[in-house]
Amino acid sequence: MSSSPTLSTIRLIEFEGLGPGPLAGRMLADLGAQVTLIARPGQGAVSAQLGGDEAHNPLRRGKQVVVLDLKQPADRDRAIELVMGADALIEGQRPGVMERLGLGPEVFAQRHPRLVYGRMTGWGQTGPLARVAGHDLNYVALTGLLSLSARPGQLPMVPPTVLGDGAGALGLAFGIVCALLEARHTGRGRVVDAAIVDIVQSLGGIAHWIHANGQLGNGPGAPPSPFHDSPFYDVYACACGGQVTVAALEPPFYALLLDKLGLTDVDPARQYETADWPALKARFTALFASRSRDEWCALLEGTDVCFAPVLGMVEAAAHPHNAARRRLQGT
């Protein structure tokens, strides 16, 4: 069995952009792909927006950086030369920008038919919104999934950008790898139209399925939902000001949670009796507020009650589980 990185034979050109495009490139680089980043002169787009510097830009990790001004004919020719020697390409411009630069898919269709041309956008290459600006929050809103973060009578919660941008990066990376596999067998590449709105919608398929079965939703007349109204799937405040989460959806986990909390008078068989939920949630709220987050961690973490504390960014990196997996260090 080979010990070399999974994608060590893949050469990829990334045209620097914002958000999920660079993240997809880094994902592929982390798997061994030889990624050459074509950067604009001056500070990079991501660092300029976020106020960082290129030396500490995690989205450039594992990439060779080539600075080119694509508005200059000589630099544009150099970019074409780099693409001609690659297996795949990533670009994250608005539809039409790469074509106007003379770097669109049609330029390579005959000259480099094996090329996989990955396009990362929010709305996609086609459709009424294709050419308008947008960001993570907008794309998630249009899928219907943002509405599910709202408590009854309240506005939806703004999610972290990973919901849209992270999903978009993952979808683009997956699409590129799939297209590379096809090109290896057929000799023909393809354009991968990766739209955040499409990928989030796909990843949210289970939510739409649950909604169709009447267990998820918060519009007028919506029935009580275990994901919004139940006592066993929620965030609770603790005596110290911290918070914890419980998500004991399955009966065995719920029964164990009741036992750990000392709620011996509550019948676990009535878990989904929605009429019981308001009073029981009030009891859960008062109970969790009676102890510190550390005390609840000592009692519940590492058991099958489906529990986790709500951690800050620094705390998350230091948590024993994350530290053991080395996933939050230097990301």
Side-chain angles (χ1 to χ4, degrees):
M1 181 177 294
S2 174
S3 60
S4 61
T6 308
L7 301 179
S8 60
T9 62
I10 299 302
R11 292 165 298 174
L12 185 144
I13 302 300
E14 175 192 327
F15 288 85
E16 187 173 48
L18 291 173
L23 179 55
R26 199 197 82 174
M27 288 177 176
L28 296 171
D30 286 347
L31 291 173
Q34 304 167 48
V35 179
T36 298
L37 172 66
I38 296 180
R40 302 179 182 89
Q43 189 177 26
V46 175
S47 294
Q49 184 186 50
L50 300 181
D53 62 85
E54 301 305 355
H56 298 92
N57 182 351
L59 297 181
R60 286 191 171 187
R61 186 179 72 198
K63 303 175 184 178
Q64 177 184 359
V65 179
V66 176
V67 178
L68 296 176
D69 182 354
L70 298 177
K71 295 181 180 179
Q72 302 301 318
D75 282 5
R76 186 165 58 249
D77 289 345
R78 173 59 177 153
I80 292 174
E81 179 184 351
L82 289 170
V83 174
M84 291 298 295
D87 302 292
L89 172 157
I90 288 177
E91 65 92 4
Q93 309 299 324
R94 288 202 210 185
V97 170
M98 293 295 282
E99 283 80 356
R100 289 194 294 274
L101 288 170
L103 296 166
E106 72 285 348
V107 173
F108 303 102
Q110 297 300 322
R111 297 172 63 184
H112 190 356
R114 294 177 65 93
L115 180 70
V116 172
Y117 197 109
R119 318 199 79 171
M120 184 79 259
T121 61
W123 306 114
Q125 296 295 316
T126 60
L129 299 177
R131 294 180 181 271
V132 304
H135 271 302
D136 186 283
L137 183 62
N138 311 126
Y139 312 136
V140 178
L142 203 71
T143 68
L145 296 178
L146 183 65
S147 70
L148 300 178
S149 70
R151 299 284 185 175
Q154 298 181 11
L155 294 174
M157 179 181 67
V158 177
T161 58
V162 68
L163 187 59
D165 283 1
L170 184 63
L172 175 60
F174 176 71
I176 286 173
V177 171
C178 289
L180 286 169
L181 287 173
E182 180 187 38
R184 178 173 296 177
H185 292 288
T186 66
R188 302 294 300 180
R190 64 170 59 235
V191 174
V192 177
D193 177 7
I196 294 175
V197 68
D198 296 343
I199 298 163
V200 172
Q201 183 85 1
S202 177
L203 294 177
I206 189 171
H208 287 283
W209 176 44
I210 295 171
H211 175 266
N213 290 326
Q215 294 192 62
L216 189 60
N218 52 9
S225 164
F227 300 96
H228 287 139
D229 308 298
S230 75
F232 49 81
Y233 195 96
D234 212 339
V235 181
Y236 290 99
C238 305
C240 62
Q243 304 91 35
V244 297
T245 63
V246 291
L249 290 169
E250 293 84 357
F253 303 152
Y254 178 63
L256 180 60
L257 176 62
L258 294 177
D259 179 66
K260 291 284 187 180
L261 296 180
L263 297 176
T264 57
D265 61 314
V266 179
D267 182 2
R270 292 180 59 84
Q271 179 178 5
Y272 284 90
E273 293 293 335
T274 58
D276 298 350
W277 287 357
L280 193 53
K281 179 168 282 195
R283 291 185 66 182
F284 272 49
T285 300
L287 184 56
F288 279 108
S290 69
R291 301 187 193 182
S292 70
R293 190 186 69 179
D294 287 348
E295 289 177 295
W296 288 118
C297 287
L299 178 66
L300 300 176
E301 196 165 25
T303 75
D304 279 347
V305 301
C306 302
F307 166 91
V310 178
L311 301 178
M313 300 293 284
V314 174
E315 291 178 307
H319 188 277
H321 183 79
N322 295 329
R325 295 182 61 79
R326 301 179 182 177
R327 297 305 301 164
L328 296 180
Q329 300 173 4
T331 56

